[in-house]
Structures are given as structure tokens and as C-alpha cells.
Amino acid sequence: MTHTANLTPFGMHTDFLGYNQAAKLVTRVGVIECLRGMTQAIEHNFMRWQDFTKSARIGNYSPDGVIELMPISDASDYAFKYVNGHPINTHRGLPTVMAFGALANMANGMPIFLSELTLTTALRTAATSVMAARQLMRPESHCMALIGNGTQSEFQALAFHGVLGIDTLRIYDIDEMAMRKLHQNLAPYPIEVVCCSSTAEAVRGADIITTITADNTNAIILRADMVAPGTHINAVGGDCPGKTELEASLLYKGNVFVEFEPQTRIEGELQQMPADFAVTELWQVLQKSSPGRLSPTQITIFDSVGFALEDYSALRYMYARAQEAGLLQPLELIPALQDPKNLFGLLHAQAPSSVISDRVTA
Ligand code: NAD
């Protein structure tokens, strides 16, 4: 990726990728290929975990949801994402999760890339789930239960199919229309989809359980007694204070893996546990400084909340692919100035000084 590509005679322009162009890009590359590429990109950056300046995201809360800012940087790039989580939104005709974000050059602060991140978040969340599952699931796993069949669900299904070879999905949602939508969207793929009438039915015989529901409460989507030995749990929907999916006692039955512990303690399933409850960060498993799965009967739990490093990776991946595909639009975000100290000259460029219309009072 070249930052100099943005240079103009008097400054730089910012490249923009809107949701239509992002969707065009994903269909051109192929959604599974995109998920594979993004998984690789996220894994590559988790392997160089120590290179990043990291912090837990900043949340601003309202009774119906949260708006979060997620910053991160390494020596050359800075990235941030704006994202909300309002489970009630689908009843108002808006998505539960909406996002955008940017990449900037650490050397001069110039924002080089501004992008939609609603579609990209669905891709990066699924990619992170399979990155974790590849380390933690039993290798022979082929059947996944998918509880919550909303916006994120197709991306999860296709990531587990395309990257890890999952060929059977047992799906359940309290909204039958959502379940039917997922079934229809997966029809072109060689995946056996079994629609179930409860979570308990869906998890029966599953090697992996993904919970990706949206409800602004401490829900119990998955009880400890529903989970068989050897299961890998991909718990994605509990991602903010007061919003969880797993029965607390289930966490004692397995080993818990997280992205960035300080953030997951506040936002993840972990918020239900004592402060000294032991967890492993995923980078430790990837760098082989901690073990992943210890035995075929162990229950492993990825307590996913979404971390800025995934968005940094996704932004860079989408930027590089969009550059190759010629899908970027230049954006007039930062003024290009002949004299960088003469910002006022920008007004003169629009109108001669005699016309700038403030009245000077003596
Ligand atoms: P969505 O609103 O589009 O879909 C959620 C689905 O869950 C809905 O179809 C709803 O009917 C279903 N649901 C609610 N309660 C249920 C229950 N008790 N049993 C079964 N199904 C139930 O939301 P989405 O965009 O698909 O996001 C799903 C969840 O994932 C949200 O909570 C969101 O905040 C979270 N999320 C997490 C990450 C992450 O990185 N961890 C990233 C994106 C989204």
C-alpha cells in the first residue's frame, strides 16, 4: 500500500470507498475469497501484536444502545472505527450495527482512506471468528449451530464454510423470517442447512456453536447444560456492558480466549466473571506462547467483542483491493494549500477579499 499515491501538487487527497463500491469489490473478489484474505490479514497483524499502541474502545451509552470509537496505530498507520450497537434499530428500519472509519499516515497525520465499515465489519467479525476457531475447534469439526440469523449471520456461515470446511449448519432465530432469509441466501452454497425450532435443538450434535444474537440485556442464549464436551463456542453477540449471551456457569466449564483482555473484561461475557478469572489473549495462541485446545473433550470459548486491530487489518485489506480494482473516489476532506499557513486563502479562492462578507465595525 502506498501513501504517496495520494499526493497532489499542494497536499494529498483522501481516497473514499462507499458501501456500493465496497459491495462491488466483495462480489468481484468473491465473498469467500474476501473472507479468506481478511482472515489472513487479521492473523498476520495479531502475530505482530507487540507493534501496536492499543486501548479499549470508548463507549457512549444510551438506554437503547451504544456508540463506540475504536482507535489503534503502529509506526506507520493509524486507524479508527466509529460503530454503534442498537438492537432495537431493526424495528425502526435501520441496521443494529452501522460503521465507518479511516486510515491515516502516522508520519504526517494525513487521513489517506475513509471507508464505509458496515459491510466490512461483518466480514472482519466473521474472519476473526474463524481465525480463533482454527486454533481452538477440534480439527474434525464439520457442523456448526448458528443462533441469531440477522445481518452478520451469512458472513459467519460462509467464513466457517469457506475457511474451515464446515458443511452443515443448524440455524435458529426467534424471528422466523430472519431464519428463512439466511436459508435462502445460503442456497447457492454446498452447505446443508437445518432450520431448528429452538437453541437447544440447534446445538444438538454441533461441533461449534456460534451465538450472534442482538438484545440489550444479560440474556441466556446458551445454558451450560446444552453444551457437549469438545464443543468450541464462538460467542459474538455479547459485546457491551449489560449485553451478554452465555450462562455464567458455562464459562467455568471451558477455557476462555479473548482479543484484548482490558476491553473484554468490560464488554464481553467476561463482565459476568470475577476480576481474577483467567483468560488467554488470542495473540498468545497464535504466537505459540500459550496453548489453544488442550484435549478433544475440552470446551473452548472465544468471547468475541471486536477489537480495533481487526478494523485496522480490514481497512488496509479493503484499501489495497479497492486500489487494485480502481474503485476508490477522491474526497476533498483536507484542504490542499499552496501555502500551508494560509488556510484563510481558501476563502479568497472562493471570493475576492473585498467580497468576503463580514461587516467590519469600527
Ligand atoms: P441483527 O439485529 O441484524 O440480528 C440479530 C438477530 O438475533 C435477530 O435476527 C434477532 O431476531 C436474533 N435474536 C435476538 N434474540 C434472540 C434469541 N434469544 N434467540 C435467537 N435469536 C435471537 O444484528 P447483527 O448485526 O447480526 O449483530 C448480531 C450481534 O452481534 C449484535 O449483538 C451485535 O452487537 C454483535 N456484533 C458483534 C461483533 C463482534 O465483533 N463481536 C461485531 C458485529 C456485531
Side-chain angles (χ1 to χ4, degrees):
M1 192 190 316
T2 55
H3 292 164
T4 48
N6 303 63
L7 278 174
T8 68
F10 308 125
M12 302 215 280
H13 71 260
T14 304
D15 287 317
F16 176 65
L17 185 69
Y19 63 86
N20 273 321
Q21 300 301 84
K24 195 178 281 181
L25 178 63
V26 173
T27 51
R28 270 194 209 171
V29 174
V31 60
I32 288 182
E33 196 44 45
C34 226
L35 285 159
R36 283 198 191 114
M38 221 176 257
T39 306
Q40 212 171 13
I42 296 170
E43 193 165 299
H44 170 79
N45 289 319
F46 269 70
M47 291 290 281
R48 51 183 208 93
W49 182 259
Q50 291 80 357
D51 292 348
F52 293 92
T53 303
K54 301 174 280 290
S55 56
R57 63 186 163 200
I58 302 159
N60 287 54
Y61 302 95
S62 68
D64 286 340
V66 61
I67 296 177
E68 296 161 332
L69 274 182
M70 304 171 67
I72 194 162
S73 65
D74 64 6
S76 59
D77 290 324
Y78 174 94
F80 81 86
K81 175 163 91 171
Y82 163 106
V83 63
N84 78 304
H86 289 75
I88 201 172
N89 267 6
T90 52
H91 300 288
R92 303 161 166 162
L94 280 174
T96 297
V97 174
M98 302 176 281
F100 69 91
L103 268 181
N105 184 342
M106 280 295 282
N108 59 15
M110 178 70 194
I112 55 165
F113 178 49
L114 180 72
S115 179
E116 84 78 38
L117 288 181
T118 306
L119 177 59
T120 304
T121 291
L123 292 162
R124 75 78 153 128
T125 303
T128 307
S129 287
V130 296
M131 175 184 79
R134 183 151 52 196
Q135 301 298 324
L136 301 174
M137 68 181 200
R138 281 178 290 109
E140 72 277 17
S141 298
H142 78 99
C143 174
M144 179 166 88
L146 184 45
I147 315 301
N149 302 159
T151 309
Q152 312 296 322
S153 61
E154 286 83 357
F155 301 90
Q156 290 282 331
L158 292 178
F160 275 88
H161 171 65
V163 181
L164 300 177
I166 294 304
D167 60 17
T168 307
L169 281 177
R170 298 175 62 80
I171 67 173
Y172 173 66
D173 194 301
I174 47 171
D175 174 3
E176 215 181 309
M177 299 265 285
M179 191 156 60
R180 233 178 288 149
K181 171 226 55 166
L182 173 61
H183 196 183
Q184 264 169 23
N185 283 340
L186 294 179
Y189 297 91
I191 306 173
E192 188 191 345
V193 179
V194 183
C195 294
C196 300
S197 52
S198 67
T199 298
E201 184 191 339
V203 302
R204 226 168 281 146
D207 302 302
I208 299 168
I209 301 171
T210 289
T211 55
I212 190 147
T213 64
D215 198 354
N216 223 4
T217 185
N218 292 119
I220 296 184
I221 303 298
L222 201 57
R223 290 195 319 268
D225 65 5
M226 293 175 177
V227 179
T231 304
H232 172 63
I233 298 167
N234 175 40
V236 186
D239 60 354
C240 122
K243 179 164 171 272
T244 52
E245 292 180 309
L246 308 186
E247 188 176 25
S249 60
L250 175 54
L251 301 178
Y252 286 112
K253 280 183 79 174
N255 289 54
V256 177
F257 298 81
V258 302
E259 293 142 308
F260 181 55
E261 186 180 338
Q263 184 179 310
T264 313
R265 290 260 170 222
I266 304 164
E267 302 180 349
E269 299 301 328
L270 219 47
Q271 66 188 273
Q272 310 181 70
M273 308 309 281
D276 60 352
F277 182 81
V279 297
T280 306
E281 288 186 330
L282 279 178
W283 69 270
Q284 297 174 290
V285 181
L286 290 162
Q287 290 186 8
K288 306 215 179 304
S289 57
S290 289
R293 169 170 290 278
L294 296 169
S295 80
T297 54
Q298 182 195 16
I299 291 171
T300 52
I301 300 164
F302 172 36
D303 184 0
S304 159
V305 293
F307 181 51
L309 184 52
E310 296 145 29
D311 302 302
Y312 163 98
S313 310
L315 274 161
R316 283 172 50 98
Y317 175 84
M318 292 296 273
Y319 188 32
R321 296 292 83 74
Q323 269 177 330
E324 288 160 10
L327 287 170
L328 296 166
Q329 294 166 288
L331 203 62
E332 285 187 350
L333 194 61
I334 305 297
L337 302 173
Q338 218 154 355
D339 172 358
K341 294 187 179 177
N342 191 10
L343 179 61
F344 199 77
L346 200 61
L347 308 183
H348 289 158
Q350 297 301 318
S353 56
S354 58
V355 182
I356 296 177
S357 63
D358 296 318
R359 295 205 192 293
V360 180
T361 48

